[in-house]
Amino acid sequence: MRGKAYLIGAGPGRADLITVRGLNLLRQADVVIYDWLVAPLLLEQAAPAADLIFVGKSHDKHTLEQDAISDLIVSHVRAGRQVARLKGGDPSVFGHAGEEAMALAKAGLPFEIVPGVSSALAAPTYAGIPLTYRGISTAFAVVTGHETPGKVHSGTDWSALARIPTLVVLMGLQRVDTVCAALLAAGRLPETPAAIVSRATTSDQRVLRATLKTLPEALRHASLPTPAVLVIGEVVALSAQLDWFAPALAEVGFLPFDALSGRQA
Ligand code: SAH
């Protein structure tokens, strides 16, 4: 059989937030290559004979390591295997799916990208924060917190971002101070509601609510663990009424639906 790579979004943490297509392809794979943000319960869905290869402790990979991962995928596909490349959230949202697909394209090998539920969408949702809301927010942006002001060759325009109603910052927990300062310097109001959602969608989820001005100080007292997203905008205030998720009661990771047969497992 001809090899093929499937770059699959594993969803934001909770195992059953993977798509049905992603789960089916994971179950059929000969090789599963996965990152640190993939729910452990999902890996149990791989075929017993499948090879499971862990390729990363954090999102903060160096270029060389990323190239090595692309080479690994290419070599397995070339050898005729069905490769499930499992990535946290959506594979194209700060997930290097583009680079890996490019390596496969250059090698003339077939691939498919299976979208996933990004933490950029799921973390606000699980914290009761709607990204858009009539009369409050007509747009949102997702940005990496890595490219804070002062970083050489930063491609991020923080003054433009300060004018977007809802901002979601990924990989920003270490840089909450600089992100908030950049937005304040660009004219965003200090009383703008802001929140941090840590380990979203899992039974460990924690949400810290503050304002753009008070968030850095609030975080110093709360010390939330990674992974976490930062949400900034008036919509954050709506979570006072819309906070629906009770982590302690969640049956997280439960995969009750047998997607292959269409029956309850
Ligand atoms: N492709 C992923 C993002 C990879 S970058 C996606 O679409 O979700 C890694 C960043 O994602 C983390 O630094 C954090 O900001 C965010 N993240 C991933 N999973 C998360 C979770 N369960 N809760 C909060 N943030 C999460």
Side-chain angles (χ1 to χ4, degrees):
M1 193 155 114
R2 203 172 170 214
K4 186 166 174 179
Y6 299 90
L7 312 181
I8 302 170
R14 181 179 171 137
D16 58 359
L17 282 174
I18 192 171
T19 64
V20 172
R21 181 157 185 78
L23 180 59
N24 285 341
L25 290 166
L26 168 63
R27 287 171 169 170
Q28 289 162 18
D30 304 311
V31 183
V32 179
I33 301 176
Y34 65 100
D35 290 331
W36 70 295
L37 285 175
V38 170
L41 264 169
L42 272 183
L43 300 172
E44 293 174 13
Q45 296 295 313
D51 282 337
L52 267 59
I53 307 172
F54 175 67
V55 290
K57 275 201 166 49
S58 82
H59 55 271
D60 213 3
K61 288 189 204 84
H62 300 301
T63 317
L64 230 186
E65 291 175 27
Q66 183 55 53
D67 288 348
I69 293 169
S70 297
D71 290 348
L72 183 72
I73 300 168
V74 164
S75 68
H76 280 293
V77 175
R78 208 172 253 146
R81 300 190 184 106
Q82 307 301 303
V83 177
R85 171 68 174 112
L86 261 193
K87 294 161 169 293
D90 179 89
S92 299
V93 177
F94 303 118
H96 302 283
E99 284 107 302
E100 292 169 13
M102 190 63 78
L104 288 153
K106 282 184 178 160
L109 296 169
F111 63 89
E112 172 178 332
I113 304 177
V114 182
V117 177
S118 176
S119 63
L121 307 181
T125 294
Y126 266 71
I129 303 168
L131 289 170
T132 64
Y133 198 91
R134 194 152 45 96
I136 297 180
S137 170
T138 55
F140 65 89
V142 180
V143 62
T144 168
H146 266 183
E147 303 275 312
T148 43
K151 175 163 173 172
V152 196
H153 307 311
S154 171
T156 307
D157 182 345
W158 287 96
S159 43
L161 289 168
R163 295 194 298 275
I164 309 256
T166 308
L167 263 190
V168 182
V169 185
L170 269 56
M171 297 175 278
L173 194 64
Q174 280 16 288
R175 293 176 176 79
V176 169
D177 294 57
T178 32
V179 167
C180 291
L183 294 169
L184 289 169
R188 196 75 187 236
L189 295 177
E191 56 273 22
T192 306
I196 294 171
V197 190
S198 161
R199 304 204 169 160
T201 77
T202 75
S203 52
D204 296 330
Q205 173 172 309
R206 283 171 64 195
V207 184
L208 176 68
R209 291 179 186 77
T211 67
L212 192 55
K213 183 157 183 264
T214 60
L215 192 64
E217 183 60 22
L219 178 61
R220 274 189 277 282
H221 293 294
S223 65
L224 299 183
T226 56
V229 306
L230 182 55
V231 192
I232 297 150
E234 294 302 325
V235 285
V236 171
L238 298 172
S239 67
Q241 288 127 289
L242 303 180
D243 190 14
W244 59 272
F245 179 55
L249 304 176
E251 293 169 331
V252 283
F254 188 44
L255 287 171
F257 187 74
D258 185 337
L260 273 183
S261 66
R263 285 192 305 264
Q264 291 291 320

